[in-house]
Amino acid sequence: MKSFFHVQDIGPLDAALREALEVKANPLAWKHLGENRTIILVFFNSSLRTRLSSQKAALNLGMDPIVLNVNGDSWKLETGMGVVMDGDKSEHLREAIPVIGSYCDIIGVRSFAGLKDKEFDYNETILRQFIEYSGKPVISLESATVHPCQAFADLITIEEYRKKRRPKVVLSWAPHPGCLPQAVPNSFAEWMDAADVELVVTQPEGYELDPRFTGGARIEYDQMKALEGADFVYAKNWSATKEYGRNICHDRSWTIDKAHMDVTENAYFMHCLPVRRNVIVTDEVIDSPRSLVIPEAANRVVSAQVVMKRMLEDLVK
Ligand code: SN0
C-alpha cells in the first residue's frame, strides 16, 4: 500500500476485516515486521486517540514511532506555494517534507481542513505534497477531507456488534458550537457505502456531503424518519457544505437523546470522540450500555496496525 486515504486503498473489505480481527486477537504476532523501521507521525492539529493509537500500533509491530507536533515543537511551516516568507513561518513544507522522509520508512500526517478555501481543502493540497515530496508511504491521520483510520475502526466495530447480515446504519449530523471539518463523516459515508450495510445520512439543509463520499446512501432531511429502525446511530457534527466551513444550524433538536434512540431498533450509539456531551449526545445515551464509543476508540489501534502492517509487508517485497 503506497498511501492510505480512501477505502479502495485497503482492497477488499472482507479480507481487511478478517485481518483486523486476527491482529486484534494476536497484536504482537508481527513484532518482527517493523524491526529497524521508523514511522514519523506529523501533527498540525490536536489529537488524543490518533496519536496514541498510532504509536501503540507501531510499537505492536516493533517499529519506532517519532511524533512531531508542528505547532508546538518545530519551526512554523509555510504551506502555500510562491509565498514571500517574511512573516512568522520559518520553514517551507517543500524542504521539511523530504527531510522528514529521509529519516523514516512511513509517514503519518494529521492536517485538518482550513475550512476557508474549499478547493484547497478538497484537493488535499497538503497531503498531496507529502506524497509527492517524501517518497515514502503516507497515512492520512485526518487530512482535509478524510479520516480513513477512524472509518476503518468504525467498520471493525460494526462488524463486531452487528446482529444482522446487513444492518441499518444512520450517520446523523448533530449540533456543535464551532465549525468542524467534514473528514470524519466523509470517510464514514465512503466506508459504509463500500461495506454491506444499509446507509442513511441525515443532515439539515446546507450540510449535504459530497456524493463522491455518500455514494448510494439514502439522504434524509427528517432526522427522526432517518433513525427509524436503525441498528447503529453514528452522530457527528460537521460544518456546512453550501456555505463552506460555516456553522449555519444551531438547532438543538438534532442532539441525540433518548427520544431519538427510542425510534431505533435498540440501536448502538457511536461517535469518533472527542464528543461534546449534551450538545452532540445526552449523558443518558452516551452513558447507556448501547454506547460503543470506548470499544470504537480501542479499535483505532487495530485499524492503524493493519494499515502499517500492510505497508511494512510491501516494503520487504
Ligand atoms: C475533529 C473533527 O474532525 O471533527 C477530530 C475528530 C476525530 N474534532 C474536533 O476538532 C472537535 C473539537 C471540539 O472542540 O469539539
Side-chain angles (χ1 to χ4, degrees):
M1 199 189 319
K2 187 62 195 151
S3 60
F4 185 58
F5 292 90
H6 292 290
V7 66
Q8 296 86 342
D9 297 326
I10 201 92
L13 286 184
D14 47 354
L17 279 171
R18 257 198 318 277
E19 193 170 332
L21 297 179
E22 279 170 33
V23 162
K24 186 163 180 169
N26 211 347
L28 301 179
W30 293 270
K31 193 130 197 190
H32 59 283
L33 256 185
E35 200 180 3
N36 301 327
R37 299 283 188 188
T38 302
I39 184 167
I40 296 187
L41 305 165
V42 182
F43 285 88
F44 288 86
N45 312 93
S46 309
S47 168
L48 187 147
R49 276 149 295 280
T50 299
R51 185 188 317 247
L52 298 179
S53 63
S54 301
Q55 290 187 75
K56 178 67 179 159
L59 292 167
N60 283 348
L61 290 164
M63 252 197 300
D64 293 315
I66 300 176
V67 175
L68 177 68
N69 299 313
V70 173
N71 296 319
D73 48 16
S74 82
W75 302 110
K76 276 200 176 165
L77 296 181
E78 178 59 60
T79 56
M81 288 298 167
V83 173
V84 178
M85 288 174 58
D86 58 1
D88 65 335
K89 305 211 172 115
S90 319
E91 178 155 17
H92 201 284
L93 270 191
R94 193 64 191 82
E95 285 77 50
I97 294 172
V99 169
I100 291 168
S102 75
Y103 299 157
C104 66
D105 302 282
I106 300 174
I107 303 179
V109 184
R110 163 157 288 193
S111 173
F112 286 178
L115 297 178
K116 296 205 163 58
D117 179 344
K118 189 169 190 172
E119 201 177 308
F120 183 89
D121 289 346
Y122 271 75
N123 282 335
E124 285 285 1
T125 311
I126 293 186
L127 261 280
R128 275 179 198 281
Q129 294 185 52
F130 271 90
I131 294 179
E132 189 175 347
Y133 302 135
S134 74
K136 296 289 150 82
V138 175
I139 303 174
S140 166
L141 302 175
E142 188 174 336
S143 49
T145 63
V146 290
H147 194 0
C149 295
Q150 179 65 51
F152 186 17
D154 297 332
L155 178 66
I156 297 166
T157 310
I158 288 172
E159 174 67 15
E160 289 177 320
Y161 285 86
R162 76 184 158 90
K163 305 268 183 313
K164 299 181 183 142
R165 192 188 62 80
R166 195 163 185 275
K168 177 173 176 181
V169 177
V170 179
L171 166 60
S172 177
W173 183 89
H176 191 281
C179 301
L180 298 188
Q182 292 141 16
V184 170
N186 281 345
S187 280
F188 185 74
E190 182 192 61
W191 284 66
M192 288 303 122
D193 186 52
D196 195 12
V197 306
E198 178 194 345
L199 176 64
V200 180
V201 183
T202 182
Q203 78 288 301
E205 296 271 355
Y207 285 85
E208 298 82 357
L209 297 170
D210 191 318
R212 267 184 298 169
F213 295 104
T214 52
R218 188 179 124 212
I219 310 297
E220 173 60 67
Y221 289 89
D222 182 332
Q223 187 192 27
M224 279 298 183
K225 227 162 145 190
L227 291 170
E228 273 169 25
D231 298 297
F232 293 89
V233 175
Y234 193 96
K236 183 70 184 86
N237 170 267
W238 62 90
S239 55
T241 47
K242 290 264 165 68
E243 291 178 61
Y244 183 66
R246 293 193 46 211
N247 187 354
I248 56 173
C249 177
H250 304 274
D251 181 357
R252 291 282 175 95
S253 75
W254 284 80
T255 301
I256 303 289
D257 63 8
K258 188 170 175 300
H260 289 80
M261 298 304 283
D262 280 348
V263 304
T264 69
E265 195 75 36
N266 195 21
Y268 287 110
F269 174 82
M270 298 178 72
H271 188 280
C272 63
L273 307 181
V275 72
R276 304 261 187 154
R277 281 171 173 257
N278 303 309
V279 180
I280 300 276
V281 58
T282 59
D283 287 338
E284 192 181 10
V285 172
I286 197 171
D287 292 331
S288 81
R290 305 305 288 175
S291 171
L292 295 182
V293 296
I294 306 303
E296 183 183 355
N299 279 334
R300 292 294 309 278
V301 176
V302 184
S303 64
Q305 197 174 332
V306 172
V307 172
M308 290 175 197
K309 174 175 171 287
R310 296 260 187 110
M311 286 180 170
L312 288 169
E313 285 164 348
D314 281 352
L315 288 177
V316 294
K317 269 182 197 155

